[in-house]
Amino acid sequence: MRVALSIEKFQPGLGGGERYAYNFACRLRDAGHDVHVFTPPCAMPDEGFTYHWVPVGRHFPRWEFARKAEKRLAGADYDIVHGFGKSVCMDVFRPGGGVHRAWQDHELRMLDGRRARWHRRLQQVGSLNQQLVLQLEKRQFGPGGRHLIIAISEMVKDEIQRYYKCESERIRVVHCGADLDRFQPEARERHRAATRARLGLDPDELVVLFLGHNFQRKGLVP
């Protein structure tokens, strides 16, 4: 198949969503599919993909990418178009970052006091960049769309339906997997003592490691 991927950051070192998209593209390529990646210009090695650069400006990059990628993909001859991030022209869409409107409300709940929340809400409403992102979300999640949506959790599915009234039959929950070749229980015994010694930790000292972006939304309070 000729498969097109639309993503504004196709760089696996940036985060989980970007790593997923890159691994997904590699799996498609290894399975013999013809993979085309629509993304802003970036330093990517030749991985057997066909790149279609979508240049964007500095001020509203997500909106500009969505608009330009849509024009490039409209009427193109692909068997399937898989969108990520803030894409709007696709057959299948994976919103790895969840729902922006839900994040806005969560951001308010993290603040102490009505005055602080009102001030932040005015900043959200007055931000042209955020309003443009919400316009994109209406197209991504609003009822009547023809593309399938892949939610990474039941929480994300619930947010899509609560904020945008998206039809349940359009949403599939597919949880993120783990690379069992890299992450194994045996690795704990091999590396635990040396790592704790290098960090100057006592043998019985409790340590919690958190990895990820948007940590406040994931429940970690700074």
Side-chain angles (χ1 to χ4, degrees):
M1 292 195 303
R2 296 186 77 239
V3 182
L5 306 183
S6 173
I7 180 170
E8 67 267 27
K9 293 180 180 179
F10 190 67
Q11 298 165 280
L14 291 180
E18 293 80 8
R19 167 60 64 179
Y20 174 92
Y22 177 77
N23 290 344
F24 181 60
C26 290
R27 291 295 183 92
L28 289 172
R29 175 205 61 201
D30 294 344
H33 299 293
D34 182 15
V35 181
H36 294 250
V37 181
F38 288 76
T39 191
C42 58
M44 290 295 296
D46 182 7
E47 297 284 1
F49 314 131
T50 300
Y51 290 102
H52 302 264
W53 300 130
V54 183
V56 298
R58 295 177 55 189
H59 298 295
F60 308 109
R62 290 179 289 185
W63 171 266
E64 192 172 350
F65 170 77
R67 181 175 56 84
K68 289 184 176 180
E70 181 180 23
K71 290 182 178 180
R72 298 282 299 275
L73 287 164
D77 184 21
Y78 293 104
D79 294 297
I80 190 167
V81 178
H82 196 304
F84 299 86
K86 294 299 178 275
S87 302
V88 292
C89 182
M90 58 256 172
D91 303 299
V92 180
F93 176 54
R94 183 182 186 271
V99 178
H100 189 70
R101 278 184 61 186
W103 163 246
Q104 287 185 325
D105 288 347
H106 179 76
E107 189 178 34
L108 298 180
R109 291 193 295 270
M110 294 291 294
L111 299 174
D112 292 327
R114 179 182 297 180
R115 184 172 182 177
R117 289 192 290 271
W118 271 106
H119 182 260
R120 184 55 187 153
R121 175 61 83 185
L122 289 174
Q123 289 180 322
Q124 292 174 350
V125 173
S127 168
L128 179 57
N129 185 51
Q130 294 208 39
Q131 294 307 309
L132 290 174
V133 169
L134 294 181
Q135 289 297 317
L136 294 177
E137 281 201 344
K138 288 181 180 179
R139 296 186 59 187
Q140 293 170 333
F141 302 132
R146 294 184 295 175
H147 55 272
L148 180 71
I149 299 171
I150 299 176
I152 63 174
S153 67
E154 292 290 345
M155 183 195 77
V156 172
K157 178 182 178 179
D158 292 343
E159 289 178 351
I160 294 171
Q161 294 185 281
R162 183 168 72 251
Y163 285 93
Y164 290 101
K165 311 302 180 185
C166 181
E167 302 89 345
S168 179
E169 58 270 19
R170 288 179 53 210
I171 307 174
R172 303 288 188 275
V173 176
V174 180
H175 300 287
C176 297
D179 186 347
L180 298 182
D181 291 330
R182 294 183 60 195
F183 305 104
Q184 301 176 353
E186 294 80 5
R188 178 178 183 270
E189 299 305 321
R190 291 199 304 269
H191 303 293
R192 183 177 188 272
T195 301
R196 294 178 73 92
R198 186 172 68 252
L199 296 175
L201 300 172
D202 293 334
D204 297 325
E205 185 175 355
L206 177 65
V207 178
V208 177
L209 176 66
F210 181 89
L211 297 175
H213 296 293
N214 300 324
F215 59 87
Q216 288 181 320
R217 188 178 184 216
K218 297 170 182 174
L220 186 66
V221 179

